[in-house]
Amino acid sequence: MEPRLVGPGPYRATRLWNEIIELFRAGMPLRKHRCRFKSYERCFKASEAVDCLHELLGSNQNFGPEVTRSQTVKLLKKFLKNHVIEDIKGRWGKEEFQDDGHLYRFPPSSPLKPYPKKPSCGKEIIKFPGWDELKADSSQEHIPAKSVTMNSEMWYKRHSIAIGEVPACKLVFRRELTQTNVQEIWKSMTLARLQKVLGLDSLNEVLDTKLVNSKHIVQNAYNVNKQGIVVLEDKSKDLPHWILSAMKCLANWPSCSDLKQPTYSGFERDVFRTIVDYFGQMKEPLLTFNFFDVFVCVLGLLQKHSKAVEALQISCLLLPPENRKRLQLLVRMMARISFNKDLPPLSESVRTRALMVQAFSRCILCSKDEMDLDDLLAAKLVFFLMDNYQEILSVPSALKSSVEEHVVQLQRVRFQKTYPEVYRVRFPTPETEAVLFPEKNKQKPPIFWALKKPFQPFHRTRSFRM
C-alpha cells in the first residue's frame, strides 16, 4: 500500500489515523520470536515497531522527516491503548509501551476508526446578509409613536406659519447599520472566504458555525496595537506580568531588561521551564477543541504555501481574543528563540527548534479524542506557524477590505431606499443625470464673432514721378 497525500476535507484526522494504521500493518515485518523458552509466531519487538513506524512517518508527506522517535513512541502508546496492537499475551489498554525488547502483535480484528454518521449535504453557499436580513437591535424596534393632528393655530405657534389643517403625521425611525449587523457581516464573509480557500462544499463537517462568535472576529480585526497584537477589553484575561517578563527575557536574550535579579549559570533554562509549566497547565489548547478539525483540515494545504497561510490567517481570526493574543506572543517568542544564536542551548539532547515544538505544540493544538494523531499534526502545524507567524497572525487585509466595502455598499443601499430623491441627486446615473440636470445636456450655441477683414500691413510701392 502506497502512502498518499490526504488533502483538506471532512474527517481528515480520522482519515489520517486509519491510513497510518493500514500502512503500519502492511509494512511491519512479522517474525517468530522466543521469550522465556517459548516461541511466538507473527510478532515483533517494541524497538522494531518504533523503527518501522518512525521510517514510515518520516517518508509520508502528510507528516514529513521532522517526526521524532519520541513522537513515534507516543503514537505507539496510543496504538496499544486503542487495541491497534497488543502484547503477546493479548493484553492492551492499560499496558505501558516502551522502546525496548517486549514482544507485540496485531489483533485479528480491524482497529480502524469509524467515520461519524452525518446527513449528507449539498454545496452550501454562505450568503452575505442584506438589509432585509439584518436584525435590528432591540433599541430600534417597537418605538412608540403617537399620531398627532395639528391645526393652523398650533402650527403657527411653532413655526409662525399658518398653513391650515395638517394631516396626521407619524414618527418614522430611520434604521442605521448597527454594531451587531457589522459583526454578523464579518462572520458570514469570513466563513465564506474560509470555505472557498479550503475548497469545501460546506463547512458543516469541519466546523460548527454556531460556535463562531462574530464579536471575537471584529475584536481580533480592529482591537490591535502597532505590532498587530490583540488589545483585550478585559485586562484580567491578559497573561500575568511575570510570565510576560519571562517570555520577553528569552525572546530578547541577552537583553533582559524586565528581570532585575542577577542571572546565573542555567538561568535561561529555569526561565524556559517556568514558561513551559505555565502553558502546560491550561485545560484547553489555544486553538480550542472546537476548532481542531478546521486546523487539521488546513494542514492538508501546506503543499500550497499561499493558500495555507491565508487559511490559517482566517482560522486564527475565529479564536477568542485572549487565545489569539497568547498565541501571538507565544509563537513570536518561540520563533525568536529558535533563531537566536546568542541564547545558550536550552537542552543537551534536543535542538532548540525541535524543543520549541516538543514543549508547546500540545498547548497550541490537541484533540479531546485519544484516537487521533494530534501530537504529529500539532508538531507539523507549529513548525509552519513559527516559520510564517508574522503573516499568519496578522489580519488578512483582503478580507478586511472586502467586508468594509460591503458595509459601505449596504449603507448606500439603505440611504437609497430611505431617501430615493436625495440619492438620485447625490449619486446620479448617466440616465437620471439627463433628467435631473437638463441644462447640462443643452448644447451651447456657438459664438460667432464678427471678424473684420484682417489688418493688412502697409506696403511701400515704388513711386513714379511724372
Side-chain angles (χ1 to χ4, degrees):
M1 178 181 176
E2 290 294 325
R4 62 184 184 276
L5 178 65
V6 179
Y11 320 120
R12 185 172 188 269
T14 301
R15 286 185 287 150
L16 286 170
W17 171 270
N18 290 343
E19 179 177 285
I20 290 300
I21 290 175
E22 290 176 345
L23 290 171
F24 180 48
R25 289 177 68 99
M28 181 68 219
L30 304 177
R31 294 191 293 271
K32 180 194 293 186
H33 288 83
R34 291 183 61 84
C35 179
R36 296 181 180 178
F37 308 106
K38 190 175 180 180
S39 296
Y40 295 92
E41 300 287 341
R42 297 181 59 79
C43 58
F44 50 86
K45 292 181 180 180
S47 58
E48 294 172 344
V50 177
D51 292 337
C52 176
L53 187 57
H54 186 219
E55 182 180 353
L56 185 153
L57 292 170
S59 60
N60 191 306
Q61 54 186 331
N62 294 297
F63 304 100
E66 292 179 316
V67 176
T68 64
R69 191 173 181 87
S70 62
Q71 288 174 332
T72 307
V73 172
K74 286 182 180 179
L75 180 55
L76 282 164
K77 288 181 179 180
K78 284 190 175 185
F79 281 0
L80 182 59
K81 187 173 183 179
N82 291 282
H83 205 194
V84 177
I85 60 176
E86 61 185 18
D87 71 7
I88 52 174
K89 294 183 179 180
R91 294 174 299 191
W92 59 278
K94 295 182 180 180
E95 302 300 313
E96 185 67 22
F97 184 92
Q98 300 290 339
D99 189 358
D100 53 22
H102 280 74
L103 297 180
Y104 293 90
R105 66 190 182 194
F106 291 115
S109 61
S110 174
L112 297 181
K113 184 178 178 181
Y115 292 96
K117 292 183 179 180
K118 288 188 178 182
S120 58
C121 54
K123 188 168 184 177
E124 178 189 21
I125 300 176
I126 301 176
K127 287 183 63 179
F128 303 158
W131 268 105
D132 297 335
E133 300 167 308
L134 292 175
K135 298 179 180 178
D137 287 349
S138 58
S139 59
Q140 296 183 350
E141 292 182 330
H142 309 297
I143 299 176
K146 295 182 180 179
S147 298
V148 180
T149 303
M150 303 177 68
N151 55 30
S152 59
E153 184 178 356
M154 294 171 60
W155 188 270
Y156 183 79
K157 288 180 180 178
R158 291 193 183 184
H159 302 280
S160 301
I161 301 175
I163 59 173
E165 194 72 17
V166 178
C169 60
K170 195 172 184 178
L171 177 64
V172 179
F173 190 87
R174 178 181 166 222
R175 184 157 66 91
E176 298 286 351
L177 199 63
T178 66
Q179 182 65 20
T180 303
N181 298 151
V182 174
Q183 290 169 359
E184 288 303 315
I185 292 169
W186 261 100
K187 177 179 176 178
S188 62
M189 294 188 70
T190 301
L191 294 179
R193 184 59 190 168
L194 179 61
Q195 178 180 325
K196 183 177 181 180
V197 175
L198 293 177
L200 302 178
D201 291 336
S202 172
L203 289 176
N204 290 337
E205 293 175 334
V206 298
L207 174 65
D208 185 353
T209 56
K210 294 179 181 178
L211 299 177
V212 177
N213 191 320
S214 58
K215 186 178 180 180
H216 291 170
I217 300 175
V218 176
Q219 288 178 343
N220 290 334
Y222 291 103
N223 293 5
V224 296
N225 60 18
K226 293 180 180 179
Q227 289 75 38
I229 306 297
V230 175
V231 178
L232 300 181
E233 295 178 351
D234 186 355
K235 300 302 180 185
S236 65
K237 294 182 179 180
D238 265 320
L239 285 172
H241 178 72
W242 55 275
I243 281 292
L244 281 173
S245 298
M247 294 173 71
K248 287 180 181 178
C249 173
L250 292 186
N252 301 319
W253 188 275
S255 302
C256 298
S257 57
D258 281 0
L259 297 177
K260 297 180 180 179
Q261 64 267 31
T263 59
Y264 50 86
S265 177
F267 170 78
E268 65 284 345
R269 294 191 180 186
D270 287 344
V271 174
F272 180 69
R273 276 193 290 269
T274 300
I275 300 171
V276 173
D277 291 343
Y278 176 81
F279 281 96
Q281 50 83 33
M282 294 191 310
K283 295 180 180 179
E284 187 175 21
L286 293 175
L287 299 183
T288 74
F289 291 131
N290 292 331
F291 297 147
F292 174 78
D293 288 331
V294 175
F295 286 100
V296 171
C297 189
V298 174
L299 284 173
L301 289 173
L302 293 191
Q303 305 293 331
K304 303 174 182 177
H305 183 273
S306 59
K307 278 197 171 185
V309 168
E310 184 181 1
L312 285 172
Q313 271 187 331
I314 298 172
S315 301
C316 290
L317 209 59
L318 308 179
L319 299 173
E322 58 271 19
N323 287 45
R324 180 177 171 87
K325 181 172 184 176
R326 293 184 179 206
L327 182 68
Q328 288 174 317
L329 296 174
L330 178 60
V331 176
R332 185 176 67 173
M333 180 204 73
M334 293 165 61
R336 289 184 177 180
I337 290 176
S338 298
F339 295 108
N340 189 348
K341 296 180 180 179
D342 295 327
L343 182 67
L346 298 173
S347 171
E348 297 294 341
S349 56
V350 184
R351 291 185 177 181
T352 303
R353 177 177 163 85
L355 180 63
M356 295 298 105
V357 176
Q358 181 180 314
F360 296 111
S361 61
R362 192 159 182 82
C363 75
I364 292 176
L365 180 72
C366 71
S367 170
K368 282 183 177 180
D369 192 350
E370 280 291 330
M371 291 178 67
D372 261 323
L373 306 172
D374 52 356
D375 290 324
L376 300 178
L377 297 172
K380 195 169 184 66
L381 176 65
V382 172
F383 275 122
F384 193 79
L385 273 174
M386 284 198 301
D387 293 339
N388 304 277
Y389 76 96
Q390 290 181 324
E391 280 185 278
I392 292 172
L393 297 176
S394 62
V395 179
S397 55
L399 175 64
K400 187 177 180 182
S401 299
S402 299
V403 174
E404 291 173 348
E405 289 172 7
H406 187 69
V407 169
V408 170
Q409 178 63 21
L410 276 179
Q411 290 172 331
R412 179 174 292 183
V413 169
R414 182 58 182 170
F415 184 82
Q416 181 182 11
K417 290 182 178 180
T418 308
Y419 304 109
E421 296 301 324
V422 178
Y423 182 88
R424 287 176 63 198
V425 175
R426 291 188 60 182
F427 306 102
T429 62
E431 293 77 15
T432 59
E433 189 173 11
V435 178
L436 293 171
F437 308 106
E439 63 277 3
K440 287 188 176 182
N441 299 306
K442 290 181 180 178
Q443 294 291 333
K444 292 185 179 181
I447 301 176
F448 297 100
W449 296 91
L451 299 176
K452 295 183 179 180
K453 195 174 182 179
F455 174 75
Q456 295 180 357
F458 175 75
H459 297 282
R460 287 180 176 270
T461 57
R462 183 177 298 176
S463 61
F464 297 93
R465 292 184 180 180
M466 298 297 296

